[in-house]
Amino acid sequence: MGLIVGLEEKLPSGLVLTSVEKLAGYMRKNSLWPATFGLACCAIEMMAAGAGRYDLARFGMEVFRASPRQADLMIVAGRVSNKMAPVLRQIYDQMAAPKWVIAMGACASSGGMFNNYAIVQGVDHVVPVDIYLPGCPPRPEMLMDAILKLHDQIFDEKLGPNRAKVIQEVEAAAMAAKPTHQLKGLLA
Amino acid sequence: MADLHNHDIEPTRPDLGLEAVSSAPVVNDGPAPMGKQLLGFWVTFRAMFKKPNTVQYPEVKEPTAERFHGRHQLNRHPDGLEKCIGCELCAWACPADAIYVEGAANTPENTMSPGERYGKVYQINYLRCVFCGLCIEACPTRALTMTNEYELADNSRESLIFEKQDLLAPLRAGMLMPPHPMYPEMNDTNYYKGDVPHAHPSQEVKND
């Protein structure tokens, strides 16, 4: 991936860059190696997803790396306590870019039913999350569904000048969004 | 206290009987006999001809258990009126505080459900929901039930807070989209008894 990451800075946006984007996306999504980050009961379902019946190897993901340096994807499986949050962040920082995060289960996504002083209310307070996966715990199919949605997202990821444009658009949309105090109920 | 000047303060150790517990003797019988080894390899060999038990998930979706706890659904009466009466019992039962309900009064011009009130705002936060089903047990009108749908992952927190229109059951044959008046000559008790078969022609709201 290093070659492509170096190349994209020099390419003007156009046909060549979009071809490189597609190639990079195709390669990235088909060799997504997860870091082992099981914290609670969701980890059991994550292990089940890696085992024979559901077999993540079909998506080139069978190697759960114990070292964050060799991983591209962090599946935060389980509740993150305040004490675990710095550890989580350190592991995320040690992963080599490009990297993605799945918040697996209700606890990792929002704190779930543990709305108390000990649990981080959503892992997106600590690391940027690409896919939120509800469920308590989500069944292996749900995890695979989240992974496949992430694959689509990775495949469409932009590089170089195109990426800068996307970032600008996201920023503009965030500025134009309805403020939360005008929203109703749970959206507030 | 005669022993105040006794410097030998270390207590005598109780006899834990450690000598009595001797470890099992290590027996080295050498490698297993050839027959036993072959038996072990036979298990491995046989597995090569077994049918793989992998489910090809995105292409083949195995049906869930019949009573699987999946996404919620807000049901309707056979004439299309909503069953939800906005009583908030589901929100009270929820252990994760994932449900938000705001009720409002039905008026003759705006009748959403039989009876006095209907659920005006209904939101379920799927990031908090633990799919325990306590809300379904609490619902007095069977308005809230669960489906077998489980593919819910999304990439933002806002999109996982489902609003009423995301949760409402679709209109089936014989149903009319509320608001519309109740079935002629029937009250809410008749609705709960199941006396309403389908929408009556007189219930249709004419737009002038």
Side-chain angles (χ1 to χ4, degrees):
Chain A
M1 240 16 72
L3 181 125
I4 290 166
V5 169
L7 197 63
E8 99 236 355
E9 305 299 332
K10 297 181 184 67
L11 288 171
S13 65
L15 188 65
V16 182
L17 183 59
T18 46
S19 310
V20 170
E21 270 170 6
K22 281 206 178 119
L23 180 68
Y26 181 75
M27 284 151 101
R28 281 172 176 175
K29 82 164 191 178
N30 283 307
S31 63
L32 203 61
W33 287 6
T36 51
F37 208 81
L39 293 167
C41 28
C42 280
I44 307 295
E45 299 293 309
M46 185 170 72
M47 284 183 262
R53 186 168 163 80
Y54 297 102
D55 201 11
L56 280 180
R58 292 181 291 136
F59 313 115
M61 297 181 64
E62 71 275 25
V63 273
F64 276 83
R65 304 316 305 207
S67 162
R69 309 258 182 225
Q70 298 162 348
D72 315 297
L73 170 67
M74 189 157 75
I75 303 175
V76 185
R79 63 192 88 94
V80 181
S81 59
N82 280 334
K83 201 167 182 177
M84 199 64 186
V87 183
L88 178 98
R89 181 71 211 192
Q90 189 176 10
I91 289 188
Y92 178 78
D93 287 340
Q94 284 171 343
M95 282 162 61
K99 52 193 170 185
W100 296 273
V101 178
I102 293 179
M104 180 181 178
C107 301
S109 303
S110 73
M113 62 187 297
F114 301 107
N115 192 355
N116 59 29
Y117 62 88
I119 303 294
V120 176
Q121 296 300 303
V123 79
D124 51 1
H125 289 276
V126 189
V127 291
V129 175
D130 293 284
I131 292 279
Y132 298 88
L133 172 58
C136 186
R139 54 197 276 133
E141 280 106 331
M142 291 168 87
L143 177 60
M144 282 195 282
D145 172 55
I147 286 169
L148 291 169
K149 278 172 181 164
L150 182 65
H151 277 182
D152 291 345
Q153 209 172 303
I154 292 169
F155 187 60
D156 294 332
E157 216 156 88
K158 304 278 180 253
L159 297 172
N162 291 359
R163 189 176 171 76
K165 208 157 99 193
V166 169
I167 290 170
Q168 266 182 0
E169 277 167 15
V170 169
E171 192 70 26
M175 295 295 282
K178 203 173 178 183
T180 47
H181 70 269
Q182 288 177 13
L183 296 172
K184 205 122 185 82
L186 296 170
L187 289 163
Chain B
M1 298 299 277
D3 288 329
L4 263 181
H5 301 286
N6 187 359
H7 292 286
D8 186 17
I9 55 168
E10 191 167 330
T12 53
R13 294 179 180 202
D15 182 19
L16 293 170
L18 286 173
E19 282 75 24
V21 184
S22 59
S23 54
V26 178
V27 184
N28 186 5
D29 286 341
M34 197 61 180
K36 277 191 173 175
Q37 283 196 17
L38 279 179
L39 197 69
F41 281 123
W42 174 246
V43 174
T44 316
F45 187 74
R46 213 176 37 191
M48 287 198 285
F49 300 101
K50 273 189 182 165
K51 215 171 129 250
N53 72 338
T54 309
V55 182
Q56 302 292 327
Y57 162 66
E59 294 86 26
V60 182
K61 286 177 186 170
E62 288 222 325
T64 60
E66 272 176 44
R67 306 191 60 159
F68 176 75
H69 285 190
R71 187 180 66 80
H72 299 78
Q73 177 172 294
L74 282 171
N75 297 312
R76 293 175 189 276
H77 285 290
D79 68 344
L81 286 180
E82 291 163 8
K83 284 189 179 177
C84 179
I85 52 171
C87 66
E88 301 185 24
L89 279 178
C90 46
W92 279 74
C94 183
D97 269 350
I99 307 182
Y100 177 85
V101 188
E102 218 173 83
N106 280 319
T107 54
E109 305 83 49
N110 185 38
T111 310
M112 301 297 279
S113 70
E116 291 172 18
R117 287 170 73 76
Y118 72 103
K120 193 180 174 202
V121 180
Y122 199 99
Q123 295 174 342
I124 297 185
N125 184 353
Y126 278 98
L127 292 172
R128 290 258 179 216
C129 177
V130 292
F131 299 92
C132 59
L134 287 179
C135 44
I136 279 69
E137 285 182 35
C139 186
T141 61
R142 283 303 267 168
L144 194 65
T145 51
M146 275 169 154
T147 63
N148 288 357
E149 192 191 324
Y150 54 81
E151 288 168 337
L152 294 167
D154 214 322
N155 57 2
S156 75
R157 282 180 93 134
E158 299 83 52
S159 57
L160 279 163
I161 296 176
F162 280 41
E163 299 253 19
K164 195 175 166 188
Q165 69 269 18
D166 307 320
L167 297 163
L168 265 176
L171 286 176
R172 268 187 257 120
M175 288 183 177
L176 284 173
M177 180 61 94
H180 62 71
M182 282 164 69
Y183 202 84
E185 289 162 27
M186 289 214 183
N187 57 20
D188 48 334
T189 315
N190 294 118
Y191 270 86
Y192 296 122
K193 280 182 176 169
D195 296 341
V196 177
H198 47 73
H200 193 264
S202 69
Q203 286 179 292
E204 256 181 280
V205 179
K206 312 236 169 3
N207 291 322
D208 299 326

